[in-house]
């Protein structure tokens, strides 16, 4: 399971830089900081715990970079908003006491105000200014998402995960029975069914704690590789089934997997899915699929990493379904995301043979491989802004 990443607010139209953090590209305005307001022709805006942008008295249209200077004693987040709706046009986080940060925007006709959100204090909204007659558009403004907005979707997703874990318990039980009977063919079929049930739960991994490694860990970081005692779960069983290990010995592996799955069913209701995790996972599920499944790196013999990729796409769809009420009014590109989900599904399903088995990644021809790689990569990019859009924001 990859480490969860900090989400930032993606404001379309800003001058942005790609900041690579733990492997994920995060779009955010390039910050600057100095101990005092620098000499510049850019508009300088003073903020504090009790005052926010009172000195912005000569608004002008077009691209510009505000120099936001914190004259107060506490760190402050500063938004440029449309006061009628609270929609954010631009934002700069963590403006420390006595420092100056850049806030680049492009403004057109409309009404605007600065909103300051000091640490451990109520928000302060400065005076409203009006720009008219320019005929220019502003940065697209996005209404912030609050914790209350995400309460319903998070609870809906938790209910879906519980249903998915119930299916996983059923399927892992059938897998264990097949292994104990010594039926390798039936065990391989049951293994894939159970493994895909787990892979559809992608956005919940952050709430699984150590269970995620026990159930679906790989040999990464294990000194003994596939012989390491710490190698357990689905992939350990996969390695044994497809490398002709004795079925009697694999019964112990299957028993432990089944016990870990049942333990997850008992402990998950007491866990909580972090709304930030759910939003991040909409992107990270496919990012991980591209890195580990489409590449074949997690194939321990079954040749079914593309089936796993399809399960990951289905898991991403589930996340988007529960987040859709929040995203629809905030993400005009959502239909495009849906379209790329469909295209990715079709590209991966093309690797399924007529008899229902899957073509291993290594057996794809160059054209098939490139089509799947390209489609999943583009879907991953389309999903990237969701974490920032859905990240809950403090507005008061």
């Amino acid at each position: 399971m990859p480490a969860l990443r900090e989400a930032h607010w993606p404001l379309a139209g800003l001058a942005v830089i790609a900041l690579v953090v733990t492997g994920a590209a995060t779009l955010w305005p390039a910050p600057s900081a100095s101990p005092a307001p620098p000499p510049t022709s850019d508009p300088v805006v003073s903020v504090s715990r009790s005052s926010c942008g009172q000195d912005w008295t000569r608004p002008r249209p077009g691209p510009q970079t505000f120099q936001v200077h914190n004259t107060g004693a506490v760190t402050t987040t500063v938004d440029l908003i449309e006061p009628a709706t609270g929609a954010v046009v631009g934002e700069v986080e963590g403006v420390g006491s006595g420092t100056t940060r850049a806030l680049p925007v492009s403004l057109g006709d409309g009404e605007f105000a600065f909103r300051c959100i000091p640490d451990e204090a109520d928000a302060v909204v400065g005076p409203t200014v009006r720009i008219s007659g320019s005929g220019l558009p502003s940065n697209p403004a996005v209404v912030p998402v609050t914790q209350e907005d995400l309460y319903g979707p998070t609870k809906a997703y938790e209910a879906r995960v519980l249903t998915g874990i119930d299916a996983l318990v059923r399927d892992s039980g059938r897998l264990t029975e097949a292994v104990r009977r010594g039926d390798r063919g039936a065990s391989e079929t049951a293994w894939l069914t159970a493994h895909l049930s787990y892979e559809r739960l992608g956005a919940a991994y952050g709430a699984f704690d150590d269970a995620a490694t026990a159930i679906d860990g790989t040999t990464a970081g294990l000194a003994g590789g596939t012989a390491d005692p710490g190698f357990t779960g689905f992939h350990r069983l996969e390695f044994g089934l497809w490398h002709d290990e004795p079925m009697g010995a694999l019964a112990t592996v299957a028993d432990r997997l089944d016990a870990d799955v049942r333990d997850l069913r008992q402990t998950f209701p007491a866990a909580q899915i972090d709304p930030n995790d759910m939003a991040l996972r909409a992107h990270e599920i496919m990012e991980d699929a591209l890195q580990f499944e489409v590449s074949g790196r997690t194939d321990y013999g079954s040749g079914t990493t593309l089936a796993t990729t399809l399960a990951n796409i289905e898991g991403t769809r589930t996340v988007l379904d529960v987040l859709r009420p929040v995203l629809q009014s905030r993400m005009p590109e959502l239909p495009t995301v849906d379209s790329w989900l469909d295209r990715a599904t079709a590209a991966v399903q093309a690797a399924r043979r007529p008899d229902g088995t899957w073509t291993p990644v290594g057996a794809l021809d160059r054209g098939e491989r490139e089509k799947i790689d390209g489609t999943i990569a583009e879907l991953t990019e389309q999903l990237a802004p969701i974490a920032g859009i859905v990240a809950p924001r403090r507005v008061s």
Side-chain angles (χ1 to χ4, degrees), residues 156-236:
Y157 188 73
E158 287 175 349
R160 294 199 186 194
V161 170
L162 275 173
T163 299
I165 293 176
D166 286 341
L168 175 61
V169 169
R170 177 199 66 210
D171 294 339
S172 68
R174 291 173 179 172
L175 169 59
T176 302
E177 291 171 2
V179 173
R180 284 197 159 275
R181 290 196 310 270
D183 189 333
R184 190 177 299 272
S187 297
E188 291 176 350
T189 299
W191 177 89
L192 181 58
T193 299
H195 188 228
L196 297 184
S197 291
Y198 180 80
E199 290 291 338
R200 295 186 184 100
L201 306 176
Y205 291 169
F208 290 174
D209 294 326
D210 293 341
T213 300
I215 292 172
D216 203 41
T218 68
T219 56
L222 299 179
T226 57
D228 196 294
F231 184 35
T232 64
F234 278 113
H235 289 303
R236 173 63 185 91

Side-chain angles (χ1 to χ4, degrees), residues 11-16 104-106 139-140:
L11 297 172
L14 292 180
V16 295
V105 295
S106 183
N139 291 344

Side-chain angles (χ1 to χ4, degrees), residues 34-93:
S34 62
T40 175
S41 59
D42 291 335
V44 178
V45 175
S46 299
V47 301
S48 69
R49 186 169 181 167
S50 59
S51 177
C52 189
Q54 305 288 342
D55 44 0
W56 187 33
T57 58
R58 296 182 179 179
R60 60 180 175 83
Q64 54 201 286
T65 299
F66 289 97
Q67 300 298 325
V68 180
H69 180 60
N70 186 354
T71 62
V74 298
T75 299
T76 302
T77 291
V78 181
D79 300 336
L80 182 60
I81 66 171
E82 295 177 348
T85 63
V88 178
V89 179
E91 178 187 70
V92 60
E93 295 180 299

Side-chain angles (χ1 to χ4, degrees), residues 379-395:
L379 172 60
T380 302
E381 289 301 312
Q382 292 291 331
L383 291 165
I386 292 175
I389 293 173
V390 180
R393 316 298 295 180
R394 184 180 156 216
V395 296

